[in-house]
Amino acid sequence: MLIAFKGFDKDLTCTNRGNTYQYRLGMWNEEDKANCGINGMHCAENPLDCLSYYPDWDRAVYYMVVADGDIDEDAYDSKISCTRLRLIKKLDKGEFVAHSLKYLLDHPFRKNNHLVCLNQGVAKNGIVIVRGENPVAKGAIGDVLGFAKEVRSQSEITEIGIHAVDGKEILPDTWYSINGKIRKAG
């Protein structure tokens, strides 16, 4: 068994190669075969990879899942296919960012997802993940800012942080550092 992440349409359906599958809560969803490019239940080890397939928070939902049975890995990103998949927990933006940061922390030397900004970033579609020696980020009300501070020469992540832009403690359109202090970008 493997803990992974999956994006869905709001009604918990997914479409693969023109076929729509209706996932069910509280039970194992099963397929006969698992081949990442062809069949099986697809999910990803890195939550950010889910956004490559379901990029819009307003039109999708994201879950932590358990992948089981026959598991096939994809060489493209952290996508996997399995013969058994169970939905565990629906994730809000803060939880999604937290799990994304944990993935970076657990795998600091893997290639970054294309959504990870280096040194500074602006939230798009409700979130931003910034990685660097002194990461800074900004966003709009309701956005979640994720930070991964690293020692550049080693790519080792030494600290992570999450801040929600609430308009009170974290202001919109203002650059923040990992500790929630206002910083200048650049």
Side-chain angles (χ1 to χ4, degrees):
M1 281 198 267
L2 175 70
I3 297 293
F5 303 89
K6 181 157 182 61
F8 302 89
D9 289 323
K10 291 269 188 188
D11 63 357
L12 296 182
T13 59
C14 288
T15 303
N16 183 27
R17 296 183 169 255
N19 298 317
T20 299
Y21 184 86
Q22 177 68 58
Y23 284 82
R24 299 172 309 258
L25 288 167
M27 59 191 330
W28 286 102
N29 297 272
E30 299 188 45
E31 285 277 324
D32 293 332
K33 295 181 181 177
N35 183 320
C36 238
I38 300 169
N39 52 28
M41 307 285 168
H42 294 95
C43 53
E45 290 181 86
N46 182 350
L48 291 173
D49 288 338
C50 296
L51 297 175
S52 296
Y53 306 98
Y54 291 88
D56 189 349
W57 274 92
D58 293 329
R59 296 175 49 186
V61 293
Y62 306 91
Y63 274 79
M64 176 187 289
V65 300
V66 174
D68 194 25
D70 183 25
I71 295 176
D72 183 51
E73 296 182 38
D74 190 336
Y76 175 70
D77 56 19
S78 73
K79 183 171 82 172
I80 60 175
S81 180
C82 60
T83 54
R84 292 170 35 99
L85 189 130
R86 187 176 183 110
L87 286 65
I88 301 299
K89 181 175 184 348
K90 183 179 176 182
L91 303 176
D92 63 26
K93 289 179 190 173
E95 293 166 326
F96 187 90
V97 169
H99 286 289
S100 298
L101 289 169
K102 183 175 181 337
Y103 181 85
L104 288 176
L105 190 62
D106 291 345
H107 307 286
F109 302 107
R110 287 193 183 167
K111 182 180 174 190
N112 282 332
N113 176 285
H114 71 279
L115 298 171
V116 175
C117 300
L118 297 179
N119 301 316
Q120 70 180 42
V122 178
K124 295 177 184 162
N125 194 26
I127 67 169
V128 64
I129 305 285
V130 183
R131 180 177 182 169
E133 290 182 57
N134 294 298
V136 296
K138 69 178 181 175
I141 295 284
D143 290 346
V144 177
L145 315 177
F147 302 86
K149 186 173 184 173
E150 68 180 0
V151 177
R152 175 60 64 196
S153 62
Q154 301 170 354
S155 294
E156 178 186 352
I157 295 174
T158 59
E159 185 179 357
I160 58 174
I162 301 173
H163 300 286
V165 181
D166 60 5
K168 296 174 186 166
E169 291 183 34
I170 304 295
L171 303 173
D173 297 319
T174 304
W175 291 101
Y176 285 92
S177 66
I178 195 167
N179 61 8
K181 304 235 186 239
I182 296 175
R183 292 280 302 264
K184 290 183 180 179

